[in-house]
PDB file of all heavy atoms in Angstrom:
ATOM      1  N   GLY A  27      -2.062  31.482 -24.727  1.00 97.00           N
ATOM      2  CA  GLY A  27      -2.711  31.915 -25.966  1.00 97.00           C
ATOM      3  C   GLY A  27      -3.298  33.313 -25.830  1.00 97.00           C
ATOM      4  O   GLY A  27      -3.138  33.982 -24.810  1.00 97.00           O
ATOM      5  N   ASP A  28      -4.005  33.715 -26.877  1.00 98.00           N
ATOM      6  CA  ASP A  28      -4.615  35.044 -26.929  1.00 98.00           C
ATOM      7  C   ASP A  28      -6.131  34.871 -26.751  1.00 98.00           C
ATOM      8  O   ASP A  28      -6.819  34.384 -27.642  1.00 98.00           O
ATOM      9  CB  ASP A  28      -4.264  35.664 -28.287  1.00 98.00           C
ATOM     10  CG  ASP A  28      -4.937  37.012 -28.503  1.00 98.00           C
ATOM     11  OD1 ASP A  28      -5.899  37.350 -27.779  1.00 98.00           O
ATOM     12  OD2 ASP A  28      -4.500  37.729 -29.434  1.00 98.00           O
ATOM     13  N   SER A  29      -6.598  35.303 -25.580  1.00 97.00           N
ATOM     14  CA  SER A  29      -7.988  35.088 -25.225  1.00 97.00           C
ATOM     15  C   SER A  29      -8.959  35.810 -26.167  1.00 97.00           C
ATOM     16  O   SER A  29     -10.018  35.274 -26.522  1.00 97.00           O
ATOM     17  CB  SER A  29      -8.170  35.541 -23.778  1.00 97.00           C
ATOM     18  OG  SER A  29      -9.475  35.788 -23.499  1.00 97.00           O
ATOM     19  N   ASN A  30      -8.591  37.023 -26.611  1.00 97.00           N
ATOM     20  CA  ASN A  30      -9.471  37.758 -27.534  1.00 97.00           C
ATOM     21  C   ASN A  30      -9.589  37.049 -28.866  1.00 97.00           C
ATOM     22  O   ASN A  30     -10.687  36.969 -29.440  1.00 97.00           O
ATOM     23  CB  ASN A  30      -8.953  39.186 -27.761  1.00 97.00           C
ATOM     24  CG  ASN A  30      -9.137  40.037 -26.523  1.00 97.00           C
ATOM     25  OD1 ASN A  30     -10.066  39.817 -25.752  1.00 97.00           O
ATOM     26  ND2 ASN A  30      -8.229  40.980 -26.314  1.00 97.00           N
ATOM     27  N   ALA A  31      -8.471  36.531 -29.341  1.00 98.00           N
ATOM     28  CA  ALA A  31      -8.514  35.767 -30.590  1.00 98.00           C
ATOM     29  C   ALA A  31      -9.339  34.497 -30.382  1.00 98.00           C
ATOM     30  O   ALA A  31     -10.115  34.100 -31.255  1.00 98.00           O
ATOM     31  CB  ALA A  31      -7.101  35.413 -31.037  1.00 98.00           C
ATOM     32  N   GLY A  32      -9.200  33.895 -29.189  1.00 98.00           N
ATOM     33  CA  GLY A  32      -9.938  32.679 -28.874  1.00 98.00           C
ATOM     34  C   GLY A  32     -11.436  32.897 -28.929  1.00 98.00           C
ATOM     35  O   GLY A  32     -12.197  32.030 -29.390  1.00 98.00           O
ATOM     36  N   ALA A  33     -11.886  34.079 -28.478  1.00 98.00           N
ATOM     37  CA  ALA A  33     -13.327  34.384 -28.461  1.00 98.00           C
ATOM     38  C   ALA A  33     -13.940  34.279 -29.859  1.00 98.00           C
ATOM     39  O   ALA A  33     -15.141  34.012 -29.991  1.00 98.00           O
ATOM     40  CB  ALA A  33     -13.533  35.787 -27.883  1.00 98.00           C
ATOM     41  N   GLN A  34     -13.124  34.474 -30.890  1.00 97.00           N
ATOM     42  CA  GLN A  34     -13.618  34.407 -32.276  1.00 97.00           C
ATOM     43  C   GLN A  34     -13.697  32.971 -32.799  1.00 97.00           C
ATOM     44  O   GLN A  34     -14.151  32.745 -33.913  1.00 97.00           O
ATOM     45  CB  GLN A  34     -12.688  35.194 -33.224  1.00 97.00           C
ATOM     46  CG  GLN A  34     -12.332  36.601 -32.781  1.00 97.00           C
ATOM     47  CD  GLN A  34     -13.562  37.455 -32.544  1.00 97.00           C
ATOM     48  OE1 GLN A  34     -14.481  37.451 -33.366  1.00 97.00           O
ATOM     49  NE2 GLN A  34     -13.606  38.161 -31.412  1.00 97.00           N
ATOM     50  N   LYS A  35     -13.198  32.021 -31.997  1.00 98.00           N
ATOM     51  CA  LYS A  35     -13.060  30.643 -32.506  1.00 98.00           C
ATOM     52  C   LYS A  35     -13.934  29.621 -31.779  1.00 98.00           C
ATOM     53  O   LYS A  35     -13.739  28.425 -31.918  1.00 98.00           O
ATOM     54  CB  LYS A  35     -11.580  30.209 -32.385  1.00 98.00           C
ATOM     55  CG  LYS A  35     -10.628  31.105 -33.175  1.00 98.00           C
ATOM     56  CD  LYS A  35      -9.158  30.804 -32.911  1.00 98.00           C
ATOM     57  CE  LYS A  35      -8.267  31.808 -33.653  1.00 98.00           C
ATOM     58  NZ  LYS A  35      -6.851  31.709 -33.308  1.00 98.00           N
ATOM     59  N   VAL A  36     -14.856  30.120 -30.966  1.00 98.00           N
ATOM     60  CA  VAL A  36     -15.608  29.186 -30.103  1.00 98.00           C
ATOM     61  C   VAL A  36     -17.109  29.129 -30.394  1.00 98.00           C
ATOM     62  O   VAL A  36     -17.855  28.516 -29.643  1.00 98.00           O
ATOM     63  CB  VAL A  36     -15.395  29.528 -28.600  1.00 98.00           C
ATOM     64  CG1 VAL A  36     -13.952  29.257 -28.198  1.00 98.00           C
ATOM     65  CG2 VAL A  36     -15.761  30.964 -28.307  1.00 98.00           C
ATOM     66  N   ALA A  37     -17.538  29.751 -31.503  1.00 97.00           N
ATOM     67  CA  ALA A  37     -18.977  29.776 -31.804  1.00 97.00           C
ATOM     68  C   ALA A  37     -19.561  28.358 -31.818  1.00 97.00           C
ATOM     69  O   ALA A  37     -20.624  28.101 -31.258  1.00 97.00           O
ATOM     70  CB  ALA A  37     -19.221  30.470 -33.144  1.00 97.00           C
ATOM     71  N   VAL A  38     -18.821  27.434 -32.409  1.00 97.00           N
ATOM     72  CA  VAL A  38     -19.312  26.066 -32.581  1.00 97.00           C
ATOM     73  C   VAL A  38     -19.362  25.303 -31.255  1.00 97.00           C
ATOM     74  O   VAL A  38     -20.057  24.293 -31.118  1.00 97.00           O
ATOM     75  CB  VAL A  38     -18.428  25.312 -33.621  1.00 97.00           C
ATOM     76  CG1 VAL A  38     -17.012  25.143 -33.115  1.00 97.00           C
ATOM     77  CG2 VAL A  38     -19.009  23.975 -34.004  1.00 97.00           C
ATOM     78  N   CYS A  39     -18.643  25.801 -30.263  1.00 98.00           N
ATOM     79  CA  CYS A  39     -18.565  25.111 -28.968  1.00 98.00           C
ATOM     80  C   CYS A  39     -19.735  25.484 -28.055  1.00 98.00           C
ATOM     81  O   CYS A  39     -20.100  24.727 -27.155  1.00 98.00           O
ATOM     82  CB  CYS A  39     -17.265  25.463 -28.246  1.00 98.00           C
ATOM     83  SG  CYS A  39     -15.828  25.635 -29.328  1.00 98.00           S
ATOM     84  N   ALA A  40     -20.298  26.672 -28.287  1.00 97.00           N
ATOM     85  CA  ALA A  40     -21.292  27.240 -27.380  1.00 97.00           C
ATOM     86  C   ALA A  40     -22.523  26.367 -27.231  1.00 97.00           C
ATOM     87  O   ALA A  40     -23.121  26.313 -26.153  1.00 97.00           O
ATOM     88  CB  ALA A  40     -21.680  28.640 -27.831  1.00 97.00           C
ATOM     89  N   ALA A  41     -22.900  25.663 -28.312  1.00 96.00           N
ATOM     90  CA  ALA A  41     -24.115  24.852 -28.275  1.00 96.00           C
ATOM     91  C   ALA A  41     -24.077  23.869 -27.105  1.00 96.00           C
ATOM     92  O   ALA A  41     -25.092  23.605 -26.469  1.00 96.00           O
ATOM     93  CB  ALA A  41     -24.273  24.093 -29.585  1.00 96.00           C
ATOM     94  N   CYS A  42     -22.917  23.349 -26.811  1.00 97.00           N
ATOM     95  CA  CYS A  42     -22.814  22.366 -25.720  1.00 97.00           C
ATOM     96  C   CYS A  42     -22.177  22.948 -24.466  1.00 97.00           C
ATOM     97  O   CYS A  42     -22.619  22.658 -23.357  1.00 97.00           O
ATOM     98  CB  CYS A  42     -22.007  21.156 -26.169  1.00 97.00           C
ATOM     99  SG  CYS A  42     -22.778  20.276 -27.543  1.00 97.00           S
ATOM    100  N   HIS A  43     -21.131  23.743 -24.630  1.00 98.00           N
ATOM    101  CA  HIS A  43     -20.391  24.204 -23.436  1.00 98.00           C
ATOM    102  C   HIS A  43     -20.870  25.566 -22.933  1.00 98.00           C
ATOM    103  O   HIS A  43     -20.322  26.078 -21.964  1.00 98.00           O
ATOM    104  CB  HIS A  43     -18.887  24.238 -23.723  1.00 98.00           C
ATOM    105  CG  HIS A  43     -18.286  22.871 -23.947  1.00 98.00           C
ATOM    106  ND1 HIS A  43     -18.069  21.982 -22.916  1.00 98.00           N
ATOM    107  CD2 HIS A  43     -17.874  22.249 -25.079  1.00 98.00           C
ATOM    108  CE1 HIS A  43     -17.538  20.863 -23.413  1.00 98.00           C
ATOM    109  NE2 HIS A  43     -17.415  20.992 -24.717  1.00 98.00           N
ATOM    110  N   GLY A  44     -21.886  26.168 -23.603  1.00 97.00           N
ATOM    111  CA  GLY A  44     -22.360  27.500 -23.197  1.00 97.00           C
ATOM    112  C   GLY A  44     -21.459  28.582 -23.784  1.00 97.00           C
ATOM    113  O   GLY A  44     -20.312  28.315 -24.114  1.00 97.00           O
ATOM    114  N   THR A  45     -21.985  29.802 -23.906  1.00 97.00           N
ATOM    115  CA  THR A  45     -21.201  30.850 -24.553  1.00 97.00           C
ATOM    116  C   THR A  45     -19.914  31.167 -23.792  1.00 97.00           C
ATOM    117  O   THR A  45     -18.887  31.438 -24.380  1.00 97.00           O
ATOM    118  CB  THR A  45     -22.008  32.165 -24.705  1.00 97.00           C
ATOM    119  OG1 THR A  45     -22.729  32.363 -23.498  1.00 97.00           O
ATOM    120  CG2 THR A  45     -22.950  32.112 -25.885  1.00 97.00           C
ATOM    121  N   ASP A  46     -19.950  31.095 -22.463  1.00 97.00           N
ATOM    122  CA  ASP A  46     -18.745  31.425 -21.687  1.00 97.00           C
ATOM    123  C   ASP A  46     -18.018  30.166 -21.190  1.00 97.00           C
ATOM    124  O   ASP A  46     -17.008  30.260 -20.513  1.00 97.00           O
ATOM    125  CB  ASP A  46     -19.105  32.305 -20.487  1.00 97.00           C
ATOM    126  CG  ASP A  46     -20.071  31.617 -19.528  1.00 97.00           C
ATOM    127  OD1 ASP A  46     -20.632  30.545 -19.892  1.00 97.00           O
ATOM    128  OD2 ASP A  46     -20.282  32.123 -18.416  1.00 97.00           O
ATOM    129  N   GLY A  47     -18.555  28.991 -21.498  1.00 98.00           N
ATOM    130  CA  GLY A  47     -17.922  27.745 -21.048  1.00 98.00           C
ATOM    131  C   GLY A  47     -18.623  27.109 -19.864  1.00 98.00           C
ATOM    132  O   GLY A  47     -18.180  26.073 -19.373  1.00 98.00           O
ATOM    133  N   ASN A  48     -19.720  27.735 -19.407  1.00 97.00           N
ATOM    134  CA  ASN A  48     -20.505  27.136 -18.318  1.00 97.00           C
ATOM    135  C   ASN A  48     -21.697  26.389 -18.922  1.00 97.00           C
ATOM    136  O   ASN A  48     -22.779  26.961 -19.100  1.00 97.00           O
ATOM    137  CB  ASN A  48     -20.991  28.216 -17.345  1.00 97.00           C
ATOM    138  CG  ASN A  48     -19.887  28.624 -16.391  1.00 97.00           C
ATOM    139  OD1 ASN A  48     -19.361  27.802 -15.645  1.00 97.00           O
ATOM    140  ND2 ASN A  48     -19.499  29.885 -16.440  1.00 97.00           N
ATOM    141  N   SER A  49     -21.502  25.146 -19.242  1.00 97.00           N
ATOM    142  CA  SER A  49     -22.572  24.382 -19.884  1.00 97.00           C
ATOM    143  C   SER A  49     -23.727  24.211 -18.920  1.00 97.00           C
ATOM    144  O   SER A  49     -23.563  24.229 -17.698  1.00 97.00           O
ATOM    145  CB  SER A  49     -22.028  23.015 -20.311  1.00 97.00           C
ATOM    146  OG  SER A  49     -22.524  22.002 -19.471  1.00 97.00           O
ATOM    147  N   GLN A  50     -24.912  24.042 -19.491  1.00 95.00           N
ATOM    148  CA  GLN A  50     -26.124  23.898 -18.671  1.00 95.00           C
ATOM    149  C   GLN A  50     -26.526  22.436 -18.525  1.00 95.00           C
ATOM    150  O   GLN A  50     -27.489  22.135 -17.841  1.00 95.00           O
ATOM    151  CB  GLN A  50     -27.291  24.662 -19.316  1.00 95.00           C
ATOM    152  CG  GLN A  50     -27.033  26.151 -19.520  1.00 95.00           C
ATOM    153  CD  GLN A  50     -26.914  26.899 -18.207  1.00 95.00           C
ATOM    154  OE1 GLN A  50     -27.613  26.588 -17.240  1.00 95.00           O
ATOM    155  NE2 GLN A  50     -26.015  27.866 -18.139  1.00 95.00           N
ATOM    156  N   VAL A  51     -25.807  21.558 -19.192  1.00 95.00           N
ATOM    157  CA  VAL A  51     -26.199  20.147 -19.216  1.00 95.00           C
ATOM    158  C   VAL A  51     -25.152  19.314 -18.475  1.00 95.00           C
ATOM    159  O   VAL A  51     -23.950  19.464 -18.702  1.00 95.00           O
ATOM    160  CB  VAL A  51     -26.334  19.653 -20.680  1.00 95.00           C
ATOM    161  CG1 VAL A  51     -26.666  18.169 -20.737  1.00 95.00           C
ATOM    162  CG2 VAL A  51     -27.395  20.472 -21.413  1.00 95.00           C
ATOM    163  N   GLY A  52     -25.644  18.446 -17.589  1.00 96.00           N
ATOM    164  CA  GLY A  52     -24.765  17.717 -16.685  1.00 96.00           C
ATOM    165  C   GLY A  52     -23.683  16.864 -17.322  1.00 96.00           C
ATOM    166  O   GLY A  52     -22.614  16.682 -16.759  1.00 96.00           O
ATOM    167  N   ASN A  53     -23.936  16.337 -18.515  1.00 95.00           N
ATOM    168  CA  ASN A  53     -22.934  15.469 -19.143  1.00 95.00           C
ATOM    169  C   ASN A  53     -21.932  16.244 -19.984  1.00 95.00           C
ATOM    170  O   ASN A  53     -20.994  15.670 -20.516  1.00 95.00           O
ATOM    171  CB  ASN A  53     -23.607  14.430 -20.037  1.00 95.00           C
ATOM    172  CG  ASN A  53     -24.323  13.394 -19.202  1.00 95.00           C
ATOM    173  OD1 ASN A  53     -23.831  13.007 -18.165  1.00 95.00           O
ATOM    174  ND2 ASN A  53     -25.509  13.012 -19.648  1.00 95.00           N
TER     175      ASN A  53
END
Side-chain angles (χ1 to χ4, degrees):
D28 176 344
S29 160
N30 289 330
Q34 310 304 315
K35 300 172 184 172
V36 293
V38 65
C39 323
C42 297
H43 293 286
T45 42
D46 61 349
N48 281 300
S49 107
Q50 302 294 323
V51 177
N53 289 322

